[in-house]
Amino acid sequence: MTKINVTKPYLPPKSEYQQQVSEIFDNCILTNQGPKVQELESTLRKYLQAENFHYVTNGTIALQLALKALAIEDGEIITTPFSYVATTSSILWERCKPVFVDIEADNFTIDADKIEAAITPRTKAIMAVHVFGYACAIEKIQEIADRHNLKVIYDAAHSFGSRYKGQALSCYGDISTLSFHATKLFHTIEGGACIVKNKAVSERLEMIKRFGHTYDRYICLGINAKQDEFNAAMGLAIFPHLSEITAKRRQICNMYDDYLSGVVTRPKLQDGLEYNYAYYPVLFKSEDELLQVFDKLNAEDIFPRRYFYPSLNNLPYIERCYSCPVSEDISARIACLPLSTYMSDKDVERITKIIIPNIN
Ligand SMILES: *Cc1c(COP(=O)(O)O)cnc(C)c1O
């Protein structure tokens, strides 16, 4: 039996990437906002209907650029403990302080009703995550931010392809960030993006992304977050296959649903959300049950992943003690089941047949 990992990066037909690469050889432009980067940016700008779209080297630097572009240099950022570590580490790397607010039990996004209690005079922004492609309480969060004059940053790394109330889920807040890492639904091997609401902030971000200068005019402190032509070429080769990719993932998710309904708990879809099928998270009844299922699956060369574990408020370099009982409880018993475009119906059957007898 072949090994099945939690995910397997999508690759386009080799000839289509080769065609892209051959054009790079013809152009002899390798980086610095070359034609492939520009074409990918304009493709994604159109697809997301996001005027101020910036392609960058990865989703982590995208979060850091967001804080820099919004001139958030210190202070407290209200954020979620249930995410990938990059959400928290980008805040710390930018010398801000993450303040953890617990999550909603039914869709794992930050609990908007608990945000206001965490606001202090030092609070600068809310950094929330559309976890697994499910939407945060966008309207509530915006209302709180407006009332307290806070910026809103969405780590939208999981949300590419999800739509909320007729708009790309990755286009809300002052800035939304994306990751195009190889394991994500749409990728450029490594890569990321910032989608910016305000034009002036967007211009500042573009300047920061390329060392903070144009020719001999030095404007502000910058960094190198420019992406190169080969990565952009991968994105251009994959983009035309996006609807196939989504359709295939939807089919796998629907099959899982058929086998597992009533067996494990699934996140609740919000009204108004068109889901992108980025992940297939399942909640077990207990950590023991999860570990038992993992043992059985691993023995058959199947590797789901504990995602996200541990709850980020418990990272060793977080000094203050935060109480996030919902996030801690969910982190202990949630996992993402294998999901990729390379899986067959037989794979889903095989996986679920191992899971079901191990559920109490
Ligand atoms: C993948 C991911 C990131 C980091 O993106 P990279 O492109 O790998 O740097 C940030 N936040 C979340 C929620 C992610 O899943």
Side-chain angles (χ1 to χ4, degrees):
M1 284 285 183
T2 49
K3 180 174 170 182
I4 305 176
N5 278 323
V6 67
T7 188
K8 185 171 173 183
Y10 174 84
L11 281 171
K14 201 192 270 179
S15 62
E16 295 175 23
Y17 186 61
Q18 281 169 336
Q19 177 57 37
Q20 294 285 341
V21 169
S22 135
E23 287 168 20
I24 297 174
F25 274 70
D26 294 342
N27 295 334
C28 206
I29 299 172
L30 305 184
T31 186
N32 284 1
Q33 212 63 17
K36 294 292 173 199
V37 164
Q38 285 184 40
E39 187 184 343
L40 184 65
E41 283 193 329
S42 84
T43 301
L44 296 179
R45 206 167 270 141
K46 204 178 297 164
Y47 171 72
L48 297 167
Q49 293 183 289
E51 200 180 325
N52 303 314
F53 176 96
H54 307 265
Y55 181 40
V56 300
T57 42
N58 61 64
T60 307
I61 203 77
L63 286 165
Q64 292 177 218
L65 286 171
L67 289 167
K68 276 278 193 295
L70 291 167
I72 299 170
E73 277 153 15
D74 55 13
E76 298 174 358
I77 314 283
I78 290 177
T79 189
T80 173
F82 191 73
S83 182
Y84 183 57
V85 69
T87 312
T88 296
S89 67
S90 62
I91 294 172
L92 289 166
W93 205 268
E94 293 300 320
R95 298 167 184 261
C96 296
K97 187 176 152 194
V99 172
F100 294 100
V101 165
D102 211 351
I103 59 170
E104 303 211 33
D106 62 0
N107 67 27
F108 320 137
T109 62
I110 194 166
D111 187 341
D113 291 333
K114 295 193 178 136
I115 290 177
E116 275 193 301
I119 294 174
T120 75
R122 295 175 300 283
T123 308
K124 300 277 175 68
I126 300 166
M127 188 186 280
V129 181
H130 302 303
V131 188
F132 303 133
Y134 295 92
C136 293
I138 288 173
E139 293 83 3
K140 258 193 211 169
I141 290 173
Q142 194 58 54
E143 208 180 286
I144 294 164
D146 290 344
R147 198 156 50 233
H148 295 271
N149 195 25
L150 304 176
K151 302 291 188 209
V152 179
I153 299 169
Y154 283 111
D155 178 342
H158 298 174
S159 75
F160 191 83
S162 276
R163 293 181 70 77
Y164 180 67
K165 299 196 171 161
Q167 181 181 322
L169 181 56
S170 35
C171 293
Y172 286 89
D174 292 287
I175 299 184
S176 280
T177 64
L178 287 166
S179 166
F180 302 138
H181 181 257
T183 57
K184 271 35 181 206
L185 182 141
F186 170 78
H187 77 87
T188 68
I189 312 173
E190 291 276 357
C194 293
I195 292 152
V196 185
K197 191 198 285 176
N198 177 284
K199 186 87 192 156
V201 174
S202 168
E203 282 166 6
R204 192 176 139 80
L205 194 146
E206 187 61 28
M207 187 62 65
I208 295 169
K209 164 186 159 182
R210 340 184 204 164
F211 301 102
H213 76 103
T214 42
Y215 299 101
D216 294 338
R217 216 157 62 84
Y218 286 78
I219 292 144
C220 58
L221 178 67
I223 196 166
N224 182 2
K226 289 179 278 98
Q227 189 58 285
D228 67 71
E229 293 287 282
F230 291 83
N231 284 284
M234 182 58 84
L236 288 169
I238 293 176
F239 186 79
H241 298 281
L242 194 56
S243 59
E244 275 160 60
I245 293 170
T246 307
K248 178 69 196 196
R249 300 176 79 99
R250 185 195 310 122
Q251 181 201 327
I252 300 291
C253 290
N254 288 343
M255 266 194 88
Y256 270 132
D257 283 346
D258 289 345
Y259 283 108
L260 294 178
S261 86
V263 176
V264 288
T265 306
R266 295 269 298 137
K268 189 168 152 255
L269 269 182
Q270 293 91 342
D271 292 336
L273 182 75
E274 279 171 59
Y275 189 55
N276 63 359
Y277 304 94
Y279 297 88
Y280 196 86
V282 296
L283 201 52
F284 294 96
K285 285 186 204 70
S286 65
E287 187 169 24
D288 285 345
E289 190 177 85
L290 176 147
L291 293 172
Q292 179 173 327
V293 169
F294 267 51
D295 271 353
K296 294 289 186 328
L297 288 170
N298 293 169
E300 301 285 334
D301 245 8
I302 297 165
F303 297 92
R305 186 136 187 243
R306 299 189 72 170
Y307 210 54
F308 297 101
Y309 174 82
S311 185
L312 297 172
N313 55 303
N314 291 326
L315 287 171
Y317 40 86
I318 296 295
E319 282 155 17
R320 222 183 94 187
C321 206
Y322 291 90
S323 168
C324 301
V326 180
S327 178
E328 287 170 20
D329 168 50
I330 285 169
S331 289
R333 57 193 178 92
I334 196 167
C336 284
L337 298 185
L339 175 58
S340 81
T341 53
Y342 299 98
M343 282 172 65
S344 66
D345 295 3
K346 279 258 175 309
D347 293 330
V348 177
E349 195 184 335
R350 191 178 141 213
I351 293 166
T352 53
K353 285 214 159 122
I354 298 166
I355 295 175
I356 294 165
N358 288 289
I359 301 288
N360 301 309

